[in-house]
Amino acid sequence: GLPRPRRPPLGSGRAGRGVVSNRGNMSLEGLPRHTRTVGLSELVERVVHASYTDLRRLATNLPGQPEADRKRELARYLHNLRQRLTRLHVLAEWAPKNRGAQIAVKCGDMMGQLRQHQMAFTDAADRLYGLRQQMDWAAGPLYDTPGALDVLCNGRYSNLPKAIADVAPKPVPLETDPELIELRDERCRRFDVEIRGLLVDERNRKTMPKAMRVFSVRDGECVVGVPGEYRATLTLGGPPPLPPPPEDDEDGAENEPNPKKDSDPAPPPSRLGGWLVVKIEMLAGEMMDADEEEGRVAHTRVFPLTKTEVKILGERATARMAGMSPPPPAPPELVEGGAQGLGGLHYVCHDIALRLCALTVMNQSKKVARGGGAWHGGAIRTEQIMGKVEAKPGIDDDAGEPGTEEDGEHEHKKPARGAGEGIRMWFWLPGLAAGEGLKASTGNRMAGVDVGSVEVGVGNAAAVDAAVAAGTLPRVELTYERADDKDSSSGAIAARALIPTDRAGVVEIETFDLPFSTASVDIKEVLADGVRAAAATRLRAALTDLEPACQAAGIDVPTLALDAVNTGDANEDGWMRTRRPAITLRLTREGTSAQVTCGKRGGELCVCGVGSFASSGAAERVEHSVSVGGIPALLKALPTLRRRATEWDLREALGSAGVHTHPAPHSMKGWVDDVAPAALALVPPASGNLFVALYVSEAAGEQTGGTSAPKKSPKKGAKKPAGGAVNAGSGALVARLALVSASRRHPASAPAVAAVAPLATDGVTLLDAKKRKSGDIGVFPFDVKSAVEGIANAVRGQKVTAQRSCVTSWCKSRGLRFSDARFNDGSHPIVAFSAKLGDDEWGETQTVCATCEVELKGAEGVRLTVRCPSLHPGAKATDPKQRQGASVASRGGVASIDVEADGWRVVVDYPDSEFAAGAACGDAHRAVAMLALVKRFNDATDGERPPVVLTLEPLSVVVETPGGFGSRVSWVGGTEDGGLAAAGANGGSVPSWEEAASEAARVGDPVAFMNAFVGDST
């Protein structure tokens, strides 16, 4: 074949850009003048004529006017004349030398000449159209000689069907036509085969970017794209790809043939054409915030493209894949190196995706800077990263250098600003710690032209400026790297965090690459990642100080997790439930832990999770001290955190074991040295005001987890206390048990410590006096399991003591004398007291009394026994089960009454419960009240004694008349506000006499009782 013509190199005289040939200049000189211009001579004449006219007018008007007015008018005329002449001088010096004016005049002449040509062409076209219409009328007829001969010779027109078929419209095949379907399937199959072959060639020639993926090849189309950026649908039928241009050496001659290139020639163009873009879709998008007013949740919105934009992008990509410049309206592009294949598609789509993402970043940075979310109120400072200043070349080569003037004076200009390259976001500004309240904003200052910035509004702008200038604040930078024409895979939006660190007094900057997703552009998440990187850097420095302190305090070595989550409900650090770096402090062996993090807003140290094992007040104090004091305050708070965690583990373990604990032992007054125990378990019944306390301390005796014993100077020769063999400072803990008796001034007041008695290690018995004198306080190595077992044993063992306290307190409150009988033979202790049955209050001198005995059986319950002599000769006892409506015992007690040799006995057995002892005391009061009423019936005189039959039940008495009408009398209500009440024996209710009979029973008047009772029965 013939040799292929060589393409002239760029910049040569034949095809260089910006070069105009001499022939073109000569041809432009002959253009007719169409531009409206003014000659210099005419301009000078106009200026002179106008000045002369003004001077004559001035000479005519000035005579006769005051001297001052004449001078003023003359000065004004001279000033105007000087201005005119100055402008004329400047114009006369500038016009002949300015190339731009000459070019403008020539361009105007060219436009005028082109307009004349257009008018001439339009006139010629109109005349040709009129000539065409005239020629139609002048055309001669075209006779159908073959058709006439066919009709004359054969008598028919045989060519008629063919003539009709030629001019008749052909029918359009249906979509369901088998031939059309088969043809379409065959075409799609050939396209699919050809497309797969082109994809293989693209991979072999490495023109397919590594990030590009082939989603599908079917129906004659290929879907390719980059996940999170774009998706394009391609087919065949586009322009064939152009071959690459030959390489030239420095002298412009062709290089020698390269054996490697000659052995691997470019593949021939496809028979079905080159790549053709059918559709382009954007997969990149932005994160939209939730809006409660509009009912919108947070979601990702894909960047939309209009039909025109899709068309222009498709034409650009199709042309670049073929190595050509796109057609209008797309701007022209210079594509070097021939066809780019799928790399050209990636260059176009990747570039537009990055541009949309960069625009979104700019818009989101304005919203974040103006306040929102965790940064509301100006917690960050945003500014634009400016690029390098590019010098603008002069238009005229003959002109002087920029910045110089003919008179030699330098022109003072402000430094030009380059194109924006990205944004920079400073965070953790001074004065924005979580513990400090926000103040009213003093004003906003824009730090970037196109981005926008809101500085801290708490009156600390000077400190922020100083920190920014010194570079001691962490920041996040997002830079836009534009794609290179020669490398389709280039171009990206790079996000990184720059964290200053202080190492031995030298501030160094650590750089961390941050992830940036084009699929969901969210500048808040990028900023949060930067804050996470800064928090991780600060926590690593804090970890070096925490490790020795934790080892000294007996706490496990802390660990740093980069993706920890706050499991509590509180939001101490502002991160909510999102991931963030955190140091985990495992305070106890049971796993109770706290997290040390950095605040999202101000970067201060925060302790999270303290509220899960401590009270809200204690948690707030610890969090505030660490937030203000930093690492020293955190090291000082480690013993407090360990003690609170230990107390929480004890309460949880005791609750799981069924032991009730006091929620706040610190609220009780009267503790030794004002230090409360680690756990305080309640010994039921609660009315006994008896507790089992667990004191936790270090093995050396220094208090870390509870209350220490009263400090006494040990005697000479005294034995060392148990647990003293553990080395001091090792972090090992010991515990001891104590029985605490509390007292209340009145039932509504809080209990106060009355007495503390040490318990043995088993928790059942009190510590021996000899051991206490020798210095042994009953300590044992502390662990939660053994401590809970000891407290549970103590609660069970001291239950009888609590029951006794409940009963004796009840007796004391009523002024009763009682005896507390305790037996050494294993029998249950008994609290006995007597109740006087008479007209006066209890305690008056009477000969008849009832004896009450409360047997305390601990976990087996309580037994109440009430004994009294026979009070009425005709009275009899009966089983309450045999009579309907008999009063029952309180709290599930089983009552019985029987007749002994010397009187009556009421026995009530109560099962084990919280209120068994109190129920026994209340039922004793009910039984004694019933017996006192019986005694009143017995004490009546023979004339006044009513003829009734008394039937005694354990807690009530039935009064029956000879006619069979009966009434049951029992105690109703509490011991303080209740009283005896009468009702029908068989459940009947007769309100007409019950109220009068009940009042007579309460005052102990049997005659009034019978009058109300018998009178109604008759």
Side-chain angles (χ1 to χ4, degrees):
L2 297 175
R4 188 171 53 189
R6 186 178 60 182
R7 178 182 299 178
L10 295 175
S12 63
R14 290 177 292 172
R17 292 184 297 176
V19 178
V20 182
S21 64
N22 293 330
R23 176 179 298 179
N25 291 336
M26 292 177 62
S27 62
L28 293 178
E29 294 296 337
L31 286 175
R33 181 56 57 86
H34 295 278
T35 306
R36 299 179 60 183
T37 59
V38 179
L40 185 59
S41 59
E42 183 181 356
L43 184 61
V44 172
E45 183 179 357
R46 290 183 181 181
V47 172
V48 172
H49 179 72
S51 302
Y52 178 73
T53 303
D54 293 342
L55 182 59
R56 290 189 61 181
R57 186 183 301 108
L58 189 64
T60 305
N61 298 331
L62 285 183
Q65 295 185 6
E67 184 68 20
D69 294 342
R70 291 199 301 269
K71 291 181 179 180
R72 187 184 303 107
E73 293 297 331
L74 183 60
R76 181 181 297 107
Y77 168 76
L78 294 176
H79 175 73
N80 294 337
L81 179 59
R82 182 179 181 180
Q83 292 293 330
R84 288 177 181 176
L85 295 178
T86 301
R87 295 190 185 98
L88 180 61
H89 174 70
V90 172
L91 189 59
E93 294 291 334
W94 170 81
K97 296 181 181 180
N98 188 269
R99 187 178 179 183
Q102 299 176 3
I103 294 176
V105 172
K106 291 178 182 179
C107 290
D109 296 341
M110 292 172 60
M111 293 297 297
Q113 191 67 21
L114 291 175
R115 281 193 295 268
Q116 288 186 356
H117 290 178
Q118 182 182 4
M119 294 172 60
F121 290 147
T122 303
D123 183 67
D126 293 341
R127 291 176 179 273
L128 289 174
Y129 181 73
L131 183 61
R132 171 72 171 81
Q133 290 181 340
Q134 294 176 6
M135 291 178 65
D136 289 341
W137 289 101
L142 183 61
Y143 299 104
D144 187 11
T145 304
L149 291 175
D150 188 14
V151 173
L152 291 176
C153 297
N154 300 326
R156 58 186 178 86
Y157 188 37
S158 59
N159 291 332
L160 182 60
K162 183 180 179 182
I164 296 175
D166 291 340
V167 298
K170 296 181 180 180
V172 179
L174 299 176
E175 293 291 335
T176 58
D177 188 3
E179 296 182 0
L180 180 61
I181 295 176
E182 183 179 358
L183 181 63
R184 186 188 301 135
D185 293 344
E186 178 63 21
R187 179 180 177 276
C188 292
R189 186 189 64 81
R190 289 188 292 107
F191 269 60
D192 291 346
V193 173
E194 192 69 22
I195 288 174
R196 289 189 175 93
L198 289 179
L199 292 176
V200 174
D201 294 339
E202 295 276 358
R203 290 193 181 96
N204 294 337
R205 289 187 290 117
K206 297 182 180 180
T207 56
M208 177 185 290
K210 296 181 180 179
M212 182 176 286
R213 299 289 183 268
V214 179
F215 297 118
S216 65
V217 178
R218 63 183 179 183
D219 298 336
E221 294 180 344
C222 173
V223 181
V224 298
V226 177
E229 288 190 10
Y230 67 91
R231 179 172 57 229
T233 303
L234 307 178
T235 186
L236 300 179
L242 296 179
E247 298 182 0
D248 296 343
D249 56 8
E250 297 179 357
D251 298 334
E254 293 185 1
N255 294 331
E256 298 180 358
N258 191 344
K260 183 177 180 181
K261 293 185 179 180
D262 294 342
S263 61
D264 189 15
S270 173
R271 296 174 299 174
L272 303 176
W275 292 113
L276 179 64
V277 178
V278 179
K279 182 175 57 175
I280 293 179
E281 303 175 61
M282 282 289 109
L283 302 181
E286 62 175 330
M287 176 60 67
M288 303 297 293
D289 296 334
D291 192 342
E292 296 182 357
E293 295 182 358
E294 298 181 0
R296 183 184 64 193
V297 298
H299 66 284
T300 301
R301 183 184 70 91
V302 179
F303 296 133
L305 294 176
T306 62
K307 293 183 179 180
T308 304
E309 292 172 344
V310 172
K311 180 182 178 181
I312 294 177
L313 290 177
E315 292 176 351
R316 286 185 57 199
T318 300
R320 185 170 283 272
M321 286 190 291
M324 299 184 301
S325 179
E333 298 180 12
L334 179 61
V335 182
E336 299 180 357
Q340 295 184 355
L342 294 179
L345 171 69
H346 180 72
Y347 172 81
V348 173
C349 298
H350 179 62
D351 181 67
I352 192 63
L354 291 183
R355 288 175 182 269
L356 292 174
C357 292
L359 179 61
T360 304
V361 168
M362 292 298 180
N363 294 333
Q364 290 184 357
S365 65
K366 298 176 184 178
K367 297 179 181 179
V368 174
R370 290 167 184 166
W375 300 281
H376 179 69
I380 66 170
R381 175 176 175 175
T382 306
E383 61 185 15
Q384 188 176 5
I385 302 176
M386 308 306 299
K388 298 180 179 179
V389 179
E390 298 179 358
K392 297 183 179 180
I395 299 177
D396 192 355
D397 297 338
D398 299 335
E401 296 181 1
T404 62
E405 294 182 351
E406 294 181 0
D407 56 359
E409 295 180 2
H410 295 280
E411 182 181 0
H412 298 282
K413 298 182 179 180
K414 296 182 179 179
R417 304 183 67 182
E421 291 185 351
I423 60 172
R424 179 184 294 115
M425 295 178 288
W426 308 83
F427 57 91
W428 288 359
L429 305 182
L432 287 178
E436 302 181 12
L438 291 175
K439 302 179 182 178
S441 176
T442 58
N444 300 333
R445 184 172 68 86
M446 305 302 290
V449 174
D450 298 326
V451 179
S453 171
V454 178
E455 291 190 356
V456 57
V458 293
N460 203 16
V464 175
D465 291 338
V468 170
T472 58
L473 291 181
R475 60 189 181 272
V476 172
E477 294 182 354
L478 287 92
T479 56
Y480 168 57
E481 301 175 1
R482 189 173 181 180
D484 189 4
D485 294 346
K486 299 180 180 180
D487 186 6
S488 61
S489 299
S490 61
I493 295 180
R496 60 176 185 168
L498 288 81
I499 312 302
T501 56
D502 189 358
R503 297 179 179 178
V506 179
V507 178
E508 299 179 358
I509 302 296
E510 295 187 17
T511 304
F512 301 90
D513 293 333
L514 304 178
F516 181 82
S517 174
T518 57
S520 179
V521 179
D522 189 1
I523 196 174
K524 293 182 180 180
E525 187 62 26
V526 177
L527 184 58
D529 289 336
V531 177
R532 293 186 182 98
T537 303
R538 182 169 294 185
L539 291 178
R540 290 189 187 96
L543 191 61
T544 58
D545 298 332
L546 278 176
E547 289 178 352
C550 291
Q551 292 178 357
I555 301 175
D556 293 346
V557 178
T559 58
L560 175 61
L562 300 180
D563 294 330
V565 178
N566 190 358
T567 57
D569 296 333
N571 184 25
E572 299 94 343
D573 53 3
W575 288 95
M576 301 297 289
R577 292 296 182 91
T578 58
R579 57 183 183 86
R580 81 278 193 258
I583 297 176
T584 302
L585 299 176
R586 195 170 184 269
L587 301 173
T588 61
R589 296 179 181 178
E590 283 66 31
T592 302
S593 59
Q595 292 180 348
V596 180
T597 63
C598 289
K600 186 176 183 180
R601 178 182 175 83
E604 70 284 351
L605 285 181
C606 298
V607 182
C608 302
V610 181
S612 62
F613 56 82
S615 62
S616 59
E620 185 177 358
R621 288 192 296 271
V622 172
E623 293 165 5
H624 178 73
S625 63
V626 174
S627 175
V628 175
I631 292 294
L634 178 60
L635 300 180
K636 188 177 180 180
L638 286 178
T640 302
L641 294 175
R642 188 189 183 192
R643 180 174 70 251
R644 300 296 184 185
T646 302
E647 295 174 358
W648 168 261
D649 290 341
L650 286 172
R651 288 195 297 269
E652 288 295 306
L654 289 172
S656 301
V659 179
H660 299 283
T661 58
H662 194 286
H666 306 271
S667 63
M668 294 181 61
K669 298 181 179 181
W671 296 111
V672 179
D673 297 334
D674 293 333
V675 180
L680 190 64
L682 176 64
V683 181
S687 56
N689 293 326
L690 198 64
F691 303 89
V692 175
L694 177 70
Y695 297 91
V696 181
S697 60
E698 287 188 359
E702 295 296 333
Q703 196 62 220
T704 59
T707 305
S708 60
K711 297 180 181 180
K712 297 179 180 180
S713 57
K715 297 180 180 179
K716 295 183 179 181
K719 296 182 181 180
K720 294 182 179 181
V726 183
N727 296 330
S730 62
L733 300 178
V734 293
R736 66 183 183 89
L737 297 173
L739 189 64
V740 179
S741 176
S743 61
R744 298 175 185 265
R745 294 183 178 180
H746 53 84
S749 63
V753 178
V756 179
L759 293 174
T761 55
D762 58 358
V764 179
T765 59
L766 296 176
L767 190 64
D768 186 65
K770 294 182 179 179
K771 293 183 178 181
R772 282 184 287 176
K773 290 181 180 180
S774 63
D776 186 3
I777 56 177
V779 299
F780 56 89
F782 172 77
D783 64 89
V784 174
K785 183 178 180 181
S786 61
V788 171
E789 292 178 355
I791 293 176
N793 293 334
V795 169
R796 288 190 296 268
Q798 302 299 328
K799 195 167 188 178
V800 173
T801 306
Q803 292 175 347
R804 179 188 299 109
S805 177
C806 176
V807 176
T808 54
S809 298
W810 185 81
C811 293
K812 292 177 181 179
S813 64
R814 283 157 179 78
L816 297 177
R817 297 182 179 180
F818 62 90
S819 62
D820 186 2
R822 308 180 188 182
F823 306 98
N824 295 326
D825 57 352
S827 302
H828 300 115
I830 296 176
V831 176
F833 57 92
S834 59
K836 307 297 180 61
L837 305 180
D839 295 335
D840 300 325
E841 297 292 336
W842 288 7
E844 294 293 332
T845 303
Q846 295 292 337
T847 56
V848 180
C849 64
T851 303
C852 301
E853 297 177 355
V854 181
E855 184 179 1
L856 309 175
K857 299 190 292 183
E860 298 178 5
V862 176
R863 168 172 288 186
L864 170 65
T865 303
V866 180
R867 292 184 176 89
C868 71
S870 179
L871 301 176
H872 195 278
K876 59 182 180 178
T878 182
D879 189 359
K881 296 181 181 180
Q882 298 180 1
R883 302 185 65 90
Q884 182 181 1
S887 299
V888 297
S890 303
R891 298 296 176 180
V894 180
S896 62
I897 184 171
D898 54 1
V899 179
E900 295 180 342
D902 54 350
W904 297 325
R905 185 183 69 168
V906 178
V907 179
V908 185
D909 290 321
Y910 300 91
D912 182 25
S913 67
E914 170 70 20
F915 306 99
C921 296
D923 288 347
H925 184 90
R926 295 168 62 191
V928 169
M930 179 267 297
L931 295 175
L933 179 62
V934 174
K935 184 177 182 302
R936 289 301 182 95
F937 274 90
N938 185 61
D939 292 344
T941 59
D942 294 339
E944 296 179 354
R945 180 178 298 172
V948 293
V949 178
L950 300 179
T951 303
L952 272 64
E953 297 173 347
L955 299 176
S956 58
V957 58
V958 178
V959 182
E960 295 179 335
T961 61
F965 188 76
S967 173
R968 177 175 284 108
V969 182
S970 61
W971 187 273
V972 177
T975 57
E976 299 294 338
D977 56 355
L980 294 176
N986 297 325
S989 177
V990 185
S992 59
W993 64 269
E994 280 186 0
E995 184 176 355
S998 299
E999 183 64 25
R1002 281 192 288 271
V1003 299
D1005 188 353
V1007 176
F1009 180 86
M1010 290 305 301
N1011 290 335
F1013 177 57
V1014 178
D1016 185 83
S1017 63
T1018 56

